[in-house]
Amino acid sequence: MPVRNADIAAVFDEIADILEVEGANPYRIRAYRNAARTVGAYGQDIAALLGGGGTLPKLPGIGADLSAKIAEIAATGTCALRERLRREIPATLVALLQVAGIGPKRAKLLYHDLGIETEAQLLEAARAGRLRRVHGFGEKTERKLIDALQTRLASDRRVPIGHAAVAVDDLLAALRACSGVRSITVCGSFRRMRDTVGDIDLLAVSERPAAVMRCFTGHASVRDVLAQGPARATVVLRSGLQVDLRAIAPESAGAALVYFTGSKAHNIAVRRIAQQRGLKLNEYGVFRGTRRIAGETEASVYRALGLPLIPPELRENRGEIELAAQGRLPELIGRKDLRGDLHVHTRSSDGTADLAVMAEAARSAGLEYLAITDHSRHLRIAHGLDEKRLLRQMAEIDALNARLEGITLLTGVEVDILEDGRLDLPDRVLARLDVVVGAVHDHLGLPRRRQTQRLQRALAHPHLRILAHPTCRLIGEREPIDVDMSVVIACAAEHGRWLELDAQPLRMDLTDRDCEQAHAQGVRISIASDAHGPRDFLWLDYGVGQARRAGLRASDVVNTWPLAALRKALR
DNA sequence: GCCGTTTTCGGCCCGACTGTTTTCAGTCG
């Protein structure tokens, strides 16, 4: 089995986990965590690079020791340190760190004092009242752990960002209406527009924090209050989603936004910059000694550190701070840049609305053109169109275009890519369409080589223009297909094909990293709603967010182009 | 374990909340 970058990252993360339980130097643990992130995000396949006689360039946070371990893992799949650590600490004990309220110190203590190695044993001991015999544990901790263990399975999954947005809608409206509130901002991974969120982080700017806290913990959607103080509170909603609220005074709003938006790695990096300049950065502002010199806005915080404002989507400590320092941050695409959508469905296949309704909804969403791309015949479950029905739809679109104002419909199809890479409709009909979007919907389990060849063949087809939802993943429900994405991207680049960033909440496919790779290879991206109904165009917000995470400018995204330019490119 | 226009050794971001403590450790973000 070839060793992928993700495998190397997993080894480092496991080492960090075990070292935590062992109570090792926290900075050594951080070094392994950072290395895991760096390796996991690295663009090239490291094992292939080293195996081919290449050398790994100097990466931040990776010195002589970690490079040697990377080489060892790339060659063997593991490393001596991990094997040794595994013999010292049971793997199930490491898993205990996932339980809320259990950190490395307590895990170690439980292991030594009570011999507890698994979640099941922990639950049993807590129920039997044995935990309170351990130093630092009491009745209350025991009860909390029982709760945490019982609800863990149901509540620890990350939620697609589009679903989380819906889940906190009511709560946000209530908080914004609360007296004394100047603003409520969703921060955390939501504001960074990650494809999933683990919890929701809210920042309330207010001069009367106590009132906001009461409004928050007393809201009808709240099931449990986990923690509550004058400045912050944590609740669990009835939906199972955890929400943190932090209240802050207006003069500190910007610093608090930076702090609460993260990422953690970005925060650590900018605080280090503050330190190097003889300053201190915390959620209340930037301080020289005890004097606050910035903090009311995010821009003021970054300015005090000698940096331009860094967009939230880039704050992952993946090089954005260096780019900012050099004045080379990209001018990121925004939602308003989108002029069209090149992948939507109607009632003709599995959509819920007809052509005119979808056209009107797209126009209301600020779009100027819309490609109608219903499924093709092979996808029977979605009533896919055969040649005859597709030709009829094309005629309807022509007729409708004559009447429509402010929006233009393009003819198209989401044609199935068959198991062998051929397309599901004859060339003579594909040739007559404005845009052909190709997608895989079955044989998702093909081995890597065959799946990759299948996509290569499809991309080489003269009429295919866009590869839709390239990895076919459904977040939390279905793993991505096993495909060599670097080969697919290279193939798209070679043939001048475009890759889709499908913004359906469950898909968000391409991922931010793949999108970044595609961009680096010069491949254009189509941000598509894959709408099946008139309200689904709001998903485009999340697609744009993901594209921003990948560092895309408007010009990199084909559906920002004016219709004339797009038509020219399509010919 | 990494890193260096003060350093090759001694630093490494900073604060809130909880529970069990008699002044603070552990956990979390």
Side-chain angles (χ1 to χ4, degrees), chain A residues 1-3 8 46-48 50-51 68-78:
Chain A
M1 279 291 284
V3 178
I8 301 174
I46 293 173
L50 298 177
K69 286 195 174 73
I70 289 173
E72 185 185 0
I73 300 164
T76 67
T78 184

Side-chain angles (χ1 to χ4, degrees), chain A residues 158-405:
Chain A
R158 291 183 71 88
V159 181
I161 186 169
H163 295 177
V166 173
V168 294
D169 228 24
D170 283 351
L171 178 61
L172 285 180
L175 288 174
R176 288 186 173 126
C178 181
S179 73
V181 168
R182 290 206 187 178
S183 69
I184 300 283
T185 308
V186 185
C187 298
S189 47
F190 190 103
R191 185 158 180 251
R192 301 200 312 280
M193 285 278 162
R194 283 196 53 180
D195 48 14
T196 61
V197 299
D199 62 7
I200 293 283
D201 301 301
L202 301 180
L203 182 73
V205 176
S206 170
E207 280 143 342
R208 295 171 45 207
V212 185
M213 285 297 159
R214 270 199 306 279
C215 182
F216 178 58
T217 55
H219 190 261
S221 66
V222 170
R223 186 178 71 200
D224 284 317
V225 179
L226 298 185
Q228 184 177 10
R232 73 186 302 164
T234 301
V235 304
V236 177
L237 303 184
R238 295 183 194 285
S239 63
L241 194 63
Q242 181 171 315
V243 184
D244 292 345
L245 176 72
R246 181 71 190 261
I248 198 91
E251 65 268 23
S252 295
L257 273 173
V258 172
Y259 157 72
F260 225 28
T261 297
S263 65
K264 192 171 177 178
H266 177 87
N267 284 351
I268 289 173
V270 291
R271 283 178 177 186
R272 189 153 40 217
I273 290 174
Q275 212 178 31
Q276 286 163 358
R277 296 181 153 236
L279 305 170
K280 187 176 75 168
L281 169 62
N282 58 27
E283 58 264 54
Y284 300 107
V286 182
F287 295 84
R288 174 169 285 126
T290 57
R291 194 169 66 88
R292 175 173 34 224
I293 62 167
E296 195 171 345
T297 65
E298 283 192 305
S300 77
V301 171
Y302 285 103
R303 200 182 314 121
L305 306 183
L307 297 170
L309 179 68
I310 299 177
E313 294 89 343
L314 296 181
R315 299 181 196 170
E316 299 287 351
N317 197 27
R318 289 178 187 158
E320 75 279 6
I321 293 171
E322 292 73 15
L323 283 181
Q326 298 159 7
R328 291 174 50 225
L329 282 176
E331 182 78 25
L332 298 179
I333 181 177
R335 170 63 180 83
K336 287 192 171 74
D337 293 320
L338 294 188
R339 294 172 189 263
D341 190 338
L342 300 180
H343 182 174
V344 308
H345 298 269
T346 72
R347 218 194 285 276
S348 295
S349 62
D350 58 351
T352 60
D354 61 25
L355 283 173
V357 170
M358 292 304 281
E360 172 53 29
R363 202 181 58 83
S364 301
L367 302 181
E368 300 165 17
Y369 54 87
L370 181 68
I372 303 299
T373 57
D374 276 308
H375 290 287
S376 65
R377 61 187 176 185
H378 181 74
L379 203 61
R380 290 178 196 281
I381 193 170
H383 312 294
L385 276 62
D386 58 15
E387 183 174 1
K388 211 168 129 190
R389 289 177 64 209
L390 184 53
L391 289 171
R392 201 156 62 218
Q393 186 186 61
M394 290 164 66
E396 284 172 35
I397 288 172
D398 281 345
L400 195 54
N401 269 335
R403 302 206 307 269
L404 284 173
E405 283 185 14

Side-chain angles (χ1 to χ4, degrees), chain A residues 34-49:
Chain A
N34 287 340
R37 283 169 33 86
T38 302
V39 168
Y42 192 63
Q44 290 181 61
D45 187 297
I46 293 173
L49 178 72

Side-chain angles (χ1 to χ4, degrees), chain A residues 363-492:
Chain A
R363 202 181 58 83
S364 301
L367 302 181
E368 300 165 17
Y369 54 87
L370 181 68
I372 303 299
T373 57
D374 276 308
H375 290 287
S376 65
R377 61 187 176 185
H378 181 74
L379 203 61
R380 290 178 196 281
I381 193 170
H383 312 294
L385 276 62
D386 58 15
E387 183 174 1
K388 211 168 129 190
R389 289 177 64 209
L390 184 53
L391 289 171
R392 201 156 62 218
Q393 186 186 61
M394 290 164 66
E396 284 172 35
I397 288 172
D398 281 345
L400 195 54
N401 269 335
R403 302 206 307 269
L404 284 173
E405 283 185 14
I407 182 111
T408 302
L409 296 183
L410 302 178
T411 59
V413 70
E414 180 183 4
V415 63
D416 261 44
I417 296 172
L418 304 177
E419 184 183 359
D420 60 3
R422 286 178 304 124
L423 302 184
D424 181 36
L425 288 168
D427 287 0
R428 61 175 179 271
V429 61
L430 296 179
R432 295 180 55 182
L433 294 163
D434 292 323
V435 54
V436 174
V437 178
V440 162
H441 291 110
D442 60 5
H443 296 100
L444 301 174
L446 287 183
R448 190 176 179 85
R449 218 169 84 91
R450 278 179 61 198
Q451 198 70 275
T452 305
Q453 286 170 344
R454 177 189 192 181
L455 293 187
Q456 283 177 284
R457 182 170 179 192
L459 285 165
H461 191 289
H463 294 310
L464 186 133
R465 172 54 57 186
I466 302 174
L467 177 62
H469 47 72
T471 80
C472 300
R473 70 164 178 177
L474 295 178
I475 295 171
E477 294 181 10
R478 189 168 76 203
E479 289 298 304
I481 55 174
D482 190 7
V483 68
D484 188 336
M485 193 50 72
S486 61
V487 170
V488 171
I489 288 169
C491 184

Side-chain angles (χ1 to χ4, degrees), chain A residues 51-68:
Chain A
T55 53
L56 195 62
K58 175 75 190 84
L59 296 173
I62 294 185
D65 182 274
L66 285 171
S67 327

Side-chain angles (χ1 to χ4, degrees), chain A residues 58-119:
Chain A
K58 175 75 190 84
L59 296 173
I62 294 185
D65 182 274
L66 285 171
S67 327
K69 286 195 174 73
I70 289 173
E72 185 185 0
I73 300 164
T76 67
T78 184
C79 72
L81 175 62
R82 172 169 77 160
E83 296 307 312
R84 179 169 68 72
L85 291 173
R86 276 185 169 182
R87 286 192 295 272
E88 293 170 6
I89 300 275
T92 48
L93 183 58
V94 173
L96 282 186
L97 296 181
Q98 302 303 313
V99 179
I102 297 289
K105 298 279 172 24
R106 285 178 171 170
K108 192 179 178 187
L109 205 56
L110 291 168
Y111 180 49
H112 283 293
D113 286 13
L114 298 179
I116 289 172
E117 294 183 17
T118 68
E119 289 180 36

